[in-house]
Structure formats: structure tokens, C-alpha cells
Amino acid sequence: MSAVATDFGIDKALDALGLKEVNEGTSTGQDNFGDGAIIASYSPVDGALIGKVKTTTQADYDKVMKAATSAFTDFRTMPAPLRGELVRQFGDKLREVKEPLGKLVSYEMGKSYQEGLGEVQEMIDICDFAVGLSRQLHGLTMHSERPGHRMYEQYHPLGVVGIISAFNFPVAVWAWNTALAWICGDVCVWKPSEKTPLCGVACQNIIAEVLKDNDMPEGISCLINGDYKVGEMMTTDKRIPLISATGSTRMGKIVAATVGERLGKSLLELGGNNAIIVTPDADIKMTVIGAVFGAVGTAGQRCTSTRRLIIHDSIYDTVKKAIVDAYGQLRIGNPLDENNHVGPLIDKDAVKNYQSALDRVVAEGGNIVVEGGVLSGEGYESGCYVKPAIAEAKNDFEIVQHETFAPVLYLLKYSGDVTNAIDVQNGVNQGLSSAIMTNNLREAERFLSHAGSDCGIANVNIGTSGAEIGGAFGGEKDTGGGRESGSDAWKIYMRRQTNTINYTTELPLAQGIKFDL
């Protein structure tokens, strides 16, 4: 362990999560997770090697799928409330390890420790939600046009659910999917990001303990590691009826085409290019808090991160000054130090994309308001720390039309009424999260109307970043159209069946068709 890791108790966190072997940068010891090449996990916090995991070979994958399909045979017949009891126990285990798991998330991914704790809390929250839902997997009863008939619909488990998650939320997005899939009677095969493999191993250790305590088959929760080639094993596999994939739009289009070719189902959570509209009736203080956290939280590496600030020209200079002043107060450094606001980007490739975006916005005619740059020196040895930057730009700039997964915020100006701002907000290919800052009821309702925001998430007087478990999470257009977490998102993990029962001694046909023998 590095000095930074030792000072902030990472070694103790790894021990608590069953990852003791990684303390010296050796294998995790989880030999059942793969026999392929080694993935080494380096922390973007200090560049230190945390540990190594083995990737999944085709032979390993076939063993995993055999275990998963076998487990599903019995798991699907288990009453849903009993499946909910397993999820409840999992949630309790997460409560016990919230601090060490949050610390691992922070150290391996680079987000602040508070955000790491928040991510684990999301896992706990979705477990609580799923436990209640396990007693509410409802269908509908319909009136039949035929006398003496009853019609209703019910939902059945799908089978094996494949989960491909991204590095920026290395544990929560898996939990969103798997907690709901489990109470629906599905089993899960999870490929975490190759950039945060130890978070995946830690989660697998936690649920494996719950399954063992309840004498349940290991195949209910399976972990595989590797890059896109391992993901392709899942997307081409007809034994997996549903693939839930989180990542870039480019990746999502490949997944959708591959899964669609075999007529499978896809749940896609892809890129965002999220905006906050700031009207003349906005509360400036609230706007600054929402915009700054949205833009720099997780170092701009959230799919819901604020990329664009669309400001009315009458208050543009006032808002601009307030935002710039707030950026001057940001503290950038070790995310395990709770005095810091902003941690590192995930790796040096992300740093290159960040630098490229700043070069592009200038080349297209933009104006840098808050200078960016890569930080070096003591505390920044990993080479992954950058300065959150702000640029004045136009919505039709090519770089503004694309998502840059880094702390780069574009200031855009609008004039006239709020409909002009909404046009700018909607004028990108992505459609995940959106927000408006206003105390004008008409503007707020216009933003939320049929002709308002075209995003899956639309907020009033809060930012674009951060979502509660109770609501369905997801977006439209290039964001993929998927929905996870709350509301009725559980239905994607089940197959719908319509049933008709005839309790008479006759056999009338629908639509009045006569067929007498």
C-alpha cells in the first residue's frame, strides 16, 4: 500500500471487504473469477497498485453460465417475498461495510469519500425499495368480452440478466439492476468496468456470504472480469434474455445492435449532455450550488453531470461572475481527504480527452473563462488531477454537442422567453437529465410540459446531478431510452403474460366469430 492509502485506512477497508491479499498488490485470491490474463488496478488518487484480478476466459464464462442457468431453475419458483428476504439481508450487510466499501469506491474510482459513501447508501436504498416491491409485483385484471371468462396479466422471471457497468458508479448501478432482478426471480451475471474491478470483487464477496448463509446456489450472483471481449460473450449469448449496459453512446449502439440481432432485450443507460436553464427569476445562490456540484462532482464523470449552463442575457454577467467566484473556492486533491471538493479523473486517457475538449472549444471560437490544466507536484503524482474549467461557447459548437467526461462547463446565452432556452436545451442528441432554475411558475410548468424538456429527467430548482431511488432513472434519444431503479422499472426484468380463463361449458370466440362443428 502507498503512504496515501495507509494514511487513510485503505488497507483496513480491503481487509473488511475480504480483499486482504491486495494489500501487497498481489492477486485478490478470487481464483474462481477467472483464469485469463491479469488486470492490474491502479488508483487514480496516487497512482499506486491496489491489486490484481484475473480476466474471464471463454471456458470460465461457460462455467459461470452453467451455474447461473442452473440456479435460475429453482430460484424462479421461490416466492418473491422470500427472495426479498435475501435482498434485505444483503442490504444489512451493506450497512455493516458502508464505510470500507465507500472508501474503496473513492480510492479505486477517484470520487470523493462522501460520494463513495453516498454510492453505497444508494445500494442500501435500492435494497429497501426492492424488499417492499417483492410483495407488490402486480398484474392487471381486465373484463372479457366473452361471458364466463376472466382475463388478467401476470409477470414471470426472465432468466439470466447480464449487467455491464461503468467505472463512474462502480457499485451502485450494479445494485440498481441486481436488487430488482433478484426479487423478480432472475439471476445475474455482472461484468464490472475493467477500470474498477476490485469494487466488483468486494460486492461479490458480500452477496456470496448472504447466499451461503441461506444455503442458496452461488449462481444467483456471478461475477466476470475483462474488457469488451468479455462483454461480447454476454451480448451474443442467447441464454441471456436481457442485457443492462451502462456506458458511452458508442458502446450502447454496439450492444443494442448485437442483442437486437438475436431478438434479446436491452436496457441502456448511455451518455448525457445535461443543461441547467437559468431564467431572470432564478435564485442565484441556489443556481450556483446546483451548477457547481453538477459540473465538478465526481470530477465531471457522472452521466448526469452538468455540461451546459443556459443563462438569460439579462442576468448573464451576474451568474457568470458568481460561478467563476465559486470555482475559485474549489479545493482539488486526494478525495479521501474530506476537505477537498474535487478528486482525480479515472486515468490519463480521460485527462487527454479533457485537454482535447478545451483545445477544441477555443478552436471553434469559444472563450476560456476559468483556465483548466493538469496539476502536478506533491499530491498529484498520478497525473490524473485537472482543474475544473469554464468556457463561453455556442450550442452548435461540435465539441459542445458531444459529451466530455470531465469537469468542463460551457456557458451559453439566450434571449427572449424560456421557450428559446428550452430549444437550446433540447438541441443536442442526448436526453438524460435537465433542470431549470426559476421562481416563475409559468416557466417551470412550460419546462415540464409536453413541449418542454425532452429528457428522461427534468428538475425544477435543483441541479441535473443526483437522483433518488424512488423515481425511474434514464433518458431518451442517444441516452438509450432505458429506465432503472424506481417506479415500475422492475417490469423490464420480467416477461409479461396475458391469461384468459373460461369457466363455462361453452367455447365462444372473440370478436363474435362463429365456428360451429
Side-chain angles (χ1 to χ4, degrees):
M1 281 284 100
S2 69
V4 169
T6 301
D7 290 346
F8 286 91
I10 294 298
D11 50 351
K12 293 181 180 179
L14 294 172
D15 285 351
L17 297 168
L19 301 175
K20 183 176 182 180
E21 292 83 356
V22 307
N23 287 6
E24 288 77 37
T26 59
S27 168
T28 63
Q30 306 298 326
D31 293 334
N32 55 312
F33 294 153
D35 288 321
I38 296 294
I39 295 177
S41 177
Y42 292 91
S43 172
V45 175
D46 57 4
L49 174 66
I50 312 173
K52 303 174 183 178
V53 300
K54 294 179 179 179
T55 56
T56 300
T57 65
Q58 185 64 56
D60 296 326
Y61 176 77
D62 290 338
K63 291 178 183 177
V64 165
M65 286 304 300
K66 183 177 181 181
T69 53
S70 175
F72 174 65
T73 301
D74 292 329
F75 194 54
R76 63 184 174 182
T77 64
M78 186 179 187
L82 296 184
R83 298 194 294 258
E85 170 60 17
L86 293 175
V87 175
R88 185 194 66 77
Q89 293 179 32
F90 179 51
D92 285 346
K93 290 286 186 184
L94 289 171
R95 288 178 170 88
E96 295 174 9
V97 298
K98 179 178 177 179
E99 290 188 8
L101 184 55
K103 195 161 287 187
L104 174 61
V105 168
S106 177
Y107 189 58
E108 188 173 34
M109 184 269 147
K111 64 175 59 176
S112 74
Y113 179 46
Q114 282 299 312
E115 290 183 80
L117 292 175
E119 186 167 345
V120 181
Q121 186 61 50
E122 279 195 71
M123 301 174 76
I124 295 168
D125 292 345
I126 196 63
C127 285
D128 289 348
F129 180 86
V131 171
L133 188 61
S134 68
R135 294 180 181 271
Q136 301 177 65
L137 300 177
H138 58 273
L140 297 174
T141 298
M142 292 78 73
H143 288 277
S144 172
E145 67 183 64
R146 290 169 284 187
H149 286 59
R150 180 166 68 90
M151 292 178 61
Y152 69 98
E153 65 179 21
Q154 58 181 330
Y155 289 83
H156 297 296
L158 272 179
V160 181
V161 171
I163 303 167
I164 300 173
S165 62
F167 73 85
N168 60 330
F169 280 84
V171 296
V173 172
W174 167 71
W176 287 1
N177 283 274
T178 202
L180 296 188
W182 283 336
I183 61 102
C184 289
D186 301 318
V187 299
C188 297
V189 175
W190 177 30
K191 191 198 89 64
S193 170
E194 61 270 30
K195 297 181 180 182
T196 51
L198 299 182
C199 285
V201 176
C203 290
Q204 182 66 10
N205 286 345
I206 297 166
I207 187 57
E209 186 177 346
V210 173
L211 296 176
K212 182 178 180 181
D213 289 346
N214 288 272
D215 196 27
M216 298 299 294
E218 293 179 340
I220 291 172
S221 180
C222 300
L223 180 75
I224 57 178
N225 280 303
D227 58 14
Y228 72 94
K229 294 179 182 178
V230 176
E232 287 176 349
M233 296 179 192
M234 302 169 69
T235 58
T236 58
D237 193 340
K238 290 185 177 182
R239 294 170 293 181
I240 303 182
L242 172 65
I243 295 288
S244 175
T246 303
S248 68
T249 297
R250 181 192 63 80
M251 178 277 292
K253 289 181 178 180
I254 295 171
V255 169
T258 304
V259 176
E261 187 175 15
R262 61 177 175 84
L263 298 182
K265 299 169 68 177
S266 297
L267 195 173
L268 302 175
E269 296 291 356
L270 311 176
N273 195 347
N274 316 296
I276 299 177
I277 295 172
V278 188
T279 81
D281 288 312
D283 183 313
I284 303 300
K285 182 178 179 180
M286 289 176 61
T287 297
V288 170
I289 295 172
V292 174
F293 176 73
V296 308
T298 323
Q301 296 173 115
R302 292 186 176 210
C303 50
T304 56
S305 290
T306 305
R307 310 290 179 198
R308 299 173 294 145
L309 206 58
I310 306 168
I311 311 167
H312 194 270
D313 56 11
S314 66
I315 57 168
Y316 181 84
D317 290 338
T318 301
V319 174
K320 172 184 168 181
K321 182 180 185 305
I323 295 289
V324 169
D325 288 347
Y327 267 53
Q329 301 174 47
L330 293 176
R331 293 184 293 274
I332 309 165
N334 183 350
L336 294 168
D337 183 344
E338 295 185 64
N339 290 314
N340 291 324
H341 297 107
V342 184
L345 293 175
I346 185 64
D347 55 26
K348 291 183 179 178
D349 285 339
V351 173
K352 291 178 182 177
N353 290 335
Y354 158 85
Q355 292 175 305
S356 176
L358 292 179
D359 291 341
R360 285 290 302 276
V361 72
V362 171
E364 292 191 59
N367 175 47
I368 300 295
V369 176
V370 174
E371 293 285 344
V374 181
L375 296 169
S376 60
E378 184 178 356
Y380 305 124
E381 291 85 357
S382 69
C384 296
Y385 291 86
V386 302
K387 299 176 184 178
I390 300 177
E392 294 178 302
K394 295 183 179 179
N395 204 52
D396 60 0
F397 284 6
E398 186 177 354
I399 189 60
V400 176
Q401 288 287 310
H402 289 81
E403 178 185 44
T404 299
F405 227 51
V408 178
L409 177 65
Y410 300 115
L411 303 185
L412 312 175
K413 188 183 296 185
Y414 84 95
S415 58
D417 67 18
V418 74
T419 59
N420 296 328
I422 292 172
D423 288 342
V424 175
Q425 140 68 40
N426 294 343
V428 294
N429 290 328
Q430 307 85 356
L432 178 53
S433 187
S434 59
I436 187 170
M437 293 292 184
T438 182
N439 288 321
N440 184 310
L441 179 62
R442 289 189 176 93
E443 289 180 333
E445 290 294 340
R446 179 67 177 78
F447 179 72
L448 300 175
S449 73
H450 296 318
S453 169
D454 63 3
C455 294
I457 299 170
N459 299 326
V460 176
N461 290 331
I462 59 173
T464 63
S465 189
E468 296 184 30
I469 288 302
F473 180 90
E476 302 302 320
K477 302 190 295 186
D478 277 4
T479 302
R483 292 296 185 276
E484 294 173 322
S485 192
S487 185
D488 64 349
W490 61 270
K491 292 181 179 180
I492 190 69
Y493 304 97
M494 306 196 82
R495 59 181 177 88
R496 184 193 303 240
Q497 185 181 81
T498 301
N499 307 115
T500 306
I501 300 171
N502 178 4
Y503 55 89
T504 73
T505 58
E506 298 181 356
L507 190 60
L509 302 177
Q511 293 83 48
I513 295 174
K514 300 295 184 182
F515 188 78
D516 297 325
L517 294 176

